[in-house]
Amino acid sequence: MNCPKCEGYYLKPQKLDNGLMALSCDNCRGTLLSIVQFIQWRATQKISDNIVNAICEIDETSQLLYCPKCSGFMTKYRISNHTHNRLDLCYRCYEVWIDSGEWQLLRQLDLQQQLDDIFSDRWQNNLVVNIIDEKIEKRVKNLFGDEFSKISAFKVWLDSYEKKNVVIEYLKKRKSK
Ligand SMILES: [Zn+2]
Ligand SMILES: [Zn+2]
């Protein structure tokens, strides 16, 4: 199988992680991983057995990739809001393209055991919701400036207060003089 990024380079079997085999390109050091193989590997892993390696250089492919197996296009999935890196998935073959350094990135984010979750609607929708939350928070911060910490503390208190609804009604109904 050819590398989806480098012309004239073949993918060769290589160890991606302890006990996890995948196909890698010698040139770009990207890796094609079968999700089925990944799920089998995960079943053998202890939870939170995460040794974070030193940060290495991380590649990110911006161009559209074609699956080395079926030649169909691969879909890009954002990993998290803390990184701009995306993974390329062929949903027909259930193979994922991992750029050089991205597996280490997944380890650093402690997401290496949730690789298949990243492609779920739930995961992707959550990322969008979190971005919206962060945007709202930013806007509120700009609006209130130094008062923001007070408002934020009040919100934390209000969210945990059992008579929250009564307080909200009170604030709404009380007429300003
Ligand atoms: Zn390559
Ligand atoms: Zn494919």
Side-chain angles (χ1 to χ4, degrees):
M1 253 186 289
N2 284 310
C3 173
K5 283 175 78 177
C6 318
E7 235 184 273
Y9 281 88
Y10 288 103
L11 298 176
K12 296 178 196 162
Q14 230 156 67
K15 199 168 86 173
L16 181 62
D17 206 314
N18 209 2
L20 180 60
M21 290 301 288
L23 295 169
S24 292
C25 168
D26 284 341
N27 189 46
C28 67
R29 313 211 61 83
T31 300
L32 187 73
L33 175 65
S34 144
I35 300 281
V36 174
Q37 214 158 336
F38 162 76
I39 290 169
Q40 285 170 346
W41 170 79
R42 181 176 54 199
T44 68
Q45 298 296 299
K46 278 184 240 131
I47 289 169
S48 207
D49 186 17
N50 194 27
I51 305 150
V52 178
N53 301 326
I55 293 176
C56 54
E57 251 181 72
I58 305 165
D59 255 7
E60 161 65 4
T61 310
S62 51
Q63 88 248 36
L64 183 68
L65 292 185
Y66 293 93
C67 173
K69 263 192 175 172
C70 71
S71 304
F73 68 88
M74 299 180 96
T75 312
K76 294 189 186 296
Y77 287 84
R78 199 160 179 159
I79 299 171
S80 113
N81 290 334
H82 304 290
T83 165
H84 67 282
N85 281 75
R86 291 172 300 170
L87 297 170
D88 295 86
L89 175 80
C90 174
Y91 60 87
R92 300 165 215 90
C93 306
Y94 222 33
E95 298 270 352
V96 57
W97 180 256
I98 300 166
D99 285 313
S100 173
E102 279 181 342
W103 182 257
Q104 283 72 20
L105 175 72
L106 287 171
R107 293 198 71 121
Q108 277 159 18
L109 297 169
D110 204 14
L111 295 177
Q112 79 280 13
Q113 297 200 16
Q114 290 162 275
L115 181 67
D116 52 336
D117 278 347
I118 292 170
F119 309 119
S120 68
D121 287 347
R122 184 182 51 81
W123 189 284
Q124 292 298 315
N125 290 342
N126 263 342
L127 293 186
V128 175
V129 169
N130 288 342
I131 285 177
I132 292 170
D133 280 353
E134 278 167 26
K135 275 188 182 161
I136 291 173
E137 179 127 342
K138 220 179 209 173
R139 215 182 301 157
V140 173
K141 240 180 211 168
N142 286 339
L143 192 64
F144 295 111
D146 293 343
E147 301 294 313
F148 179 73
S149 60
K150 278 186 219 164
I151 291 157
S152 168
F154 176 70
K155 188 180 182 304
V156 170
W157 168 79
L158 187 63
D159 282 343
S160 63
Y161 187 51
E162 52 181 13
K163 292 174 192 161
K164 177 183 173 176
N165 291 338
V166 182
V167 176
I168 292 170
E169 279 311 303
Y170 170 75
L171 290 173
K172 276 199 275 188
K173 276 180 186 158
R174 202 178 146 83
K175 283 181 189 141
S176 52
K177 282 170 194 161

